[in-house]
Amino acid sequence: MFDAGKLSKITNTNFAGGIIDINFSQLTPYKAMLDKIDDGSGNNSYNLNVKDVTAAAATLTGANSHVQTMTVTDIGSSVGGRLAELDALQDGGQLTAIKLTDASNIINITSDAYDASSTKALTILNHTDAKPSGDYKLALSAMSITNAADSTYAANTDDHVVTYTASAEGADIVTNLADLEDATKLQVINRTDGGLDGTENAMALTGAQYADQVTTLNKIQTNGVAGYHAVVSELAADDIARALQDRNVDTFDVSDTAENLGKNILDLQAAQTDSNAQMTAVAQSDAGDIALSITDYTTAVDVRGDKMAAMTWNVSDVATTDLSAVLNDDAVSLVGVKDTAAAIQDTTMLGSTGSEGLIDDPVLSAKIDSITISDNAVLELTGAQYTSNVTAGGGTGLLDKISNANGDVYHANLTDLDAAHIAVATADPSVDHFAVLDVGSELTTNLSDLMAASAGDKLTAVAVGAQDGSPTDDVTIEIAKADFLNADEGAGYVTADYADLISKTTGDFQVKLTA
Amino acid sequence: MVEESIRAGQEPAAVSEVMTPAGALKALADGAVGAITVAGTAKEVSAHLAALAGATANGSIASIAITDDKPLKVSKEDFRVHAKAYAQVLELITARPLQLTFH
């Protein structure tokens, strides 16, 4: 065993260039012996290369005038805690290597420490044969929000940095939101201006930011607690439901197209009636009516009457029983009716004489955009209902808007059709069959149409009488004798054709054969 | 008279006098030949119109006069079924204008 007490001197014969390797653990035990080194001139001169110095002891070791170089060996947390000291030693040339004993563990340092050390201690941190650029992992804290948002910033490109946190005021977070969305290493953003309870300086977010920067917004903490306060402007209607559930959002106003407002009308209604009263306003970003089903129209009564009061509506699937109320809503521009054939043919819908129907009012009628027969059944209409509501008959045009739910044209049977509209009904593909009621003079006037209809398969019967049912003497149908008695089958109608018509004719009537 | 000649077993003779619808039809049934001129009230003609239509098809009726201003009553079904024959008999009716009621 070495006994320093018996050794009087060690002469260092190559002080100028020689260096003594020593482990850090040997430095103190060997101090007495090292004090006996003499350079031949009576000076205690020698140079040491101290290996495996702990991070905590590095600065003190470096202060030893004999220590020319050293290496540090320690766990990552210790290295991180002394990084500034190690930077100085590296920068001064004494520290030549830092070896980690726990390379798999993450070293936590501040962003400032990272910036300072990136050209110093970190350049010599745990370089191994397997990882010549250094085998270590860093987690940075308190990074500036601009650095975090800068994809070219060192921490964003350095593979050693696995995560980091940033700190900023709300406004700066908002400014950098889009770029922060790409900062995949960013774990937490600490808001610094939220006040003691975090409610101050609510961040002003656009609806687009709120929708698109979800990942970043979810990283925000205020006073160490996840969350923030924000006021969202021009929120998309699709995001209303999320905002209603999001306690980070103090208030929001909505701005969107008619299509999207309509699609999200139930969320708008929910926001209108929500006790937190987050929604402050609703704006439509384009022109046109907002399309709603009758169910949604009814449900959304509150928001329609308040924040959407200036908007106009296109209401579909309206049953005839609801039609009056919907049509008389000044905010409703268009109405799509959907009901059974029986309901649609009701007199309150189509009128019975052209002046009694609910939508004989031209203003209200004009609002009817379409009428769908939900059961695809055949309409049973009076002639008056038909003629007063079909454009070709000079009516409101309401019947022209009818179609079956299966996409087919509607089908109708007509009773008591007046003779003047026989041609219209004959040409109308929606009319399956019709029966005529009119006085003799009208039947005479429209005899050619009547004969054409009789030759077809639509005319089922002809009654001679007044349209209003009153007694009449006008019961004579005048037919040219030459036509009526025509036996030439190659020339127009023959007697058999007239006989066929007469067989369909009822009532007390006469045929007068004229010259 | 034709009816008397027939009863007497004489050869049917050409008829030239005006006969009632019933008489004309009987004469034709008894074998009379020639074109018969028929005259009768609307009621009488109506009652025998179907038979007269059949006779007309054989060319045995020259004309039919309606002696009052009443309309003829015509069966819709008969008219529909025998339209061509009816057209021929109606053509022979001299009333102007001819009025028809259908039942």
Side-chain angles (χ1 to χ4, degrees):
Chain A
M1 196 66 185
F2 169 71
D3 184 350
K6 295 179 181 177
L7 179 63
S8 59
K9 184 171 73 175
I10 302 171
T11 300
N12 184 0
T13 59
N14 66 341
F15 167 71
I19 190 164
I20 301 168
D21 287 335
I22 186 172
N23 286 330
F24 173 65
S25 61
Q26 297 171 316
L27 195 58
T28 299
Y30 288 180
K31 184 177 185 305
M33 180 187 71
L34 292 172
D35 285 346
K36 295 181 178 181
I37 294 176
D38 189 298
D39 64 357
S41 302
N43 299 316
N44 181 222
S45 298
Y46 59 93
N47 293 322
L48 296 177
N49 175 33
V50 186
K51 297 183 290 186
D52 298 334
V53 180
T54 63
T59 296
L60 183 61
T61 302
N64 184 331
S65 62
H66 297 290
V67 176
Q68 187 174 49
T69 59
M70 73 175 88
T71 63
V72 167
T73 299
D74 211 329
I75 60 174
S77 60
S78 296
V79 170
R82 299 283 179 169
L83 197 58
E85 297 174 30
L86 299 177
D87 282 343
L89 291 169
Q90 187 276 339
D91 195 38
Q94 281 183 293
L95 182 59
T96 59
I98 304 171
K99 182 179 179 182
L100 294 176
T101 58
D102 60 346
S104 61
N105 289 340
I106 294 173
I107 304 171
N108 295 297
I109 59 175
T110 67
S111 178
D112 287 345
Y114 174 78
D115 290 341
S117 187
S118 60
T119 58
K120 298 175 183 173
L122 292 179
T123 63
I124 58 170
L125 181 59
N126 207 33
H127 286 224
T128 66
D129 291 340
K131 294 184 178 179
S133 63
D135 184 10
Y136 61 94
K137 297 175 184 175
L138 298 177
L140 311 185
S141 61
M143 184 181 295
S144 75
I145 204 71
T146 51
N147 279 345
D150 181 0
S151 61
T152 66
Y153 172 60
N156 281 325
T157 59
D158 185 351
D159 290 339
H160 296 107
V161 178
V162 291
T163 63
Y164 57 77
T165 65
S167 298
E169 293 185 352
D172 291 330
I173 296 172
V174 174
T175 300
N176 292 282
L177 267 180
D179 291 331
L180 290 170
E181 198 72 4
D182 297 328
T184 55
K185 298 177 184 178
L186 176 62
Q187 300 295 299
V188 172
I189 305 171
N190 291 304
R191 271 203 68 189
T192 59
D193 62 342
L196 291 177
D197 62 358
T199 60
E200 295 179 14
N201 303 316
M203 297 192 301
L205 298 176
T206 66
Q209 288 173 321
Y210 183 70
D212 298 338
Q213 271 85 63
V214 177
T215 301
T216 301
L217 291 170
N218 287 339
K219 295 175 181 176
I220 297 176
Q221 293 185 1
T222 307
N223 297 328
V225 178
Y228 57 93
H229 283 263
V231 173
V232 183
S233 61
E234 299 184 345
L235 182 72
D238 281 346
D239 295 324
I240 293 172
R242 178 183 151 217
L244 284 178
Q245 299 296 322
D246 189 349
R247 293 282 73 86
N248 297 312
V249 177
D250 292 349
T251 62
F252 62 83
D253 66 74
V254 176
S255 179
D256 214 326
T257 62
E259 179 182 0
N260 289 333
L261 291 175
K263 190 176 65 176
N264 294 282
I265 192 67
L266 297 183
D267 289 341
L268 285 159
Q269 170 68 10
Q272 174 74 28
T273 57
D274 189 88
S275 58
N276 292 313
Q278 290 167 280
M279 187 168 74
T280 57
V282 181
Q284 184 179 335
S285 60
D286 60 359
D289 300 322
I290 300 171
L292 295 181
S293 69
I294 183 63
T295 303
D296 288 350
Y297 169 85
T298 303
T299 303
V301 61
D302 300 300
V303 71
R304 284 192 299 105
D306 184 23
K307 295 181 178 65
M308 304 180 82
M311 298 168 197
T312 56
W313 308 94
N314 177 355
V315 187
S316 61
D317 299 339
V318 179
T320 54
T321 50
D322 298 323
L323 190 54
S324 179
V326 177
L327 285 175
N328 283 289
D329 181 346
D330 290 341
V332 173
S333 299
L334 292 174
V335 174
V337 179
K338 187 172 187 179
D339 214 326
T340 63
I344 289 171
Q345 73 197 23
D346 187 270
T347 55
T348 57
M349 172 72 188
L350 291 174
S352 60
T353 66
S355 61
E356 297 175 357
L358 168 67
I359 46 182
D360 286 335
D361 180 328
V363 175
L364 298 185
S365 178
K367 289 185 175 183
I368 302 288
D369 182 46
S370 66
I371 302 170
T372 303
I373 299 175
S374 58
D375 57 359
N376 305 311
V378 178
L379 292 175
E380 302 293 342
L381 302 177
T382 66
Q385 284 179 303
Y386 176 72
T387 57
S388 63
N389 288 294
V390 69
T391 301
T396 63
L398 212 54
L399 286 171
D400 304 302
K401 300 173 181 177
I402 297 183
S403 61
N404 280 340
N406 62 11
D408 194 6
V409 298
Y410 77 92
H411 292 272
N413 293 327
L414 313 181
T415 57
D416 299 342
L417 180 69
D418 66 298
H421 290 97
I422 291 171
V424 173
T426 301
D428 188 343
S430 287
V431 175
D432 289 348
H433 301 101
F434 61 86
V436 171
L437 168 65
D438 218 328
V439 294
S441 58
E442 285 297 317
L443 295 172
T444 300
T445 300
N446 297 283
L447 186 61
S448 61
D449 293 340
L450 190 59
M451 287 301 296
S454 181
D457 56 3
K458 290 188 175 184
L459 179 66
T460 56
V462 180
V464 182
Q467 278 270 303
D468 61 4
S470 62
T472 180
D473 293 331
D474 187 356
V475 296
T476 301
I477 305 170
E478 294 188 12
I479 305 174
K481 186 176 180 181
D483 293 337
F484 191 77
L485 302 181
N486 178 27
D488 182 357
E489 296 185 355
Y493 299 115
V494 296
T495 303
D497 298 323
Y498 289 97
D500 188 48
L501 170 64
I502 287 170
S503 70
K504 298 171 183 172
T505 306
T506 61
D508 185 11
F509 72 99
Q510 293 185 1
V511 172
K512 182 177 179 181
L513 302 184
T514 60
Chain B
M1 301 294 283
V2 173
E3 289 91 337
E4 291 169 347
S5 302
I6 294 171
R7 281 196 298 270
Q10 300 172 352
E11 283 294 315
V15 289
S16 58
E17 66 267 42
V18 175
M19 303 182 75
T20 65
L25 289 171
K26 185 166 189 322
L28 291 173
D30 290 343
V33 296
I36 302 172
T37 298
V38 177
T41 64
K43 185 175 181 180
E44 291 172 332
V45 174
S46 297
H48 299 91
L49 194 58
L52 289 170
T56 302
N58 297 327
S60 301
I61 304 294
S63 67
I64 302 171
I66 307 294
T67 58
D68 57 13
D69 57 356
K70 300 291 178 57
L72 290 180
K73 297 184 77 172
V74 183
S75 163
K76 289 180 188 177
E77 182 61 16
D78 285 350
F79 185 57
R80 188 184 68 78
V81 173
H82 305 291
K84 196 166 186 176
Y86 270 81
Q88 290 173 333
V89 73
L90 292 174
E91 191 74 70
L92 299 178
I93 295 176
T94 57
R96 293 291 185 277
L98 177 60
Q99 296 195 67
L100 310 173
T101 61
F102 289 90
H103 59 89

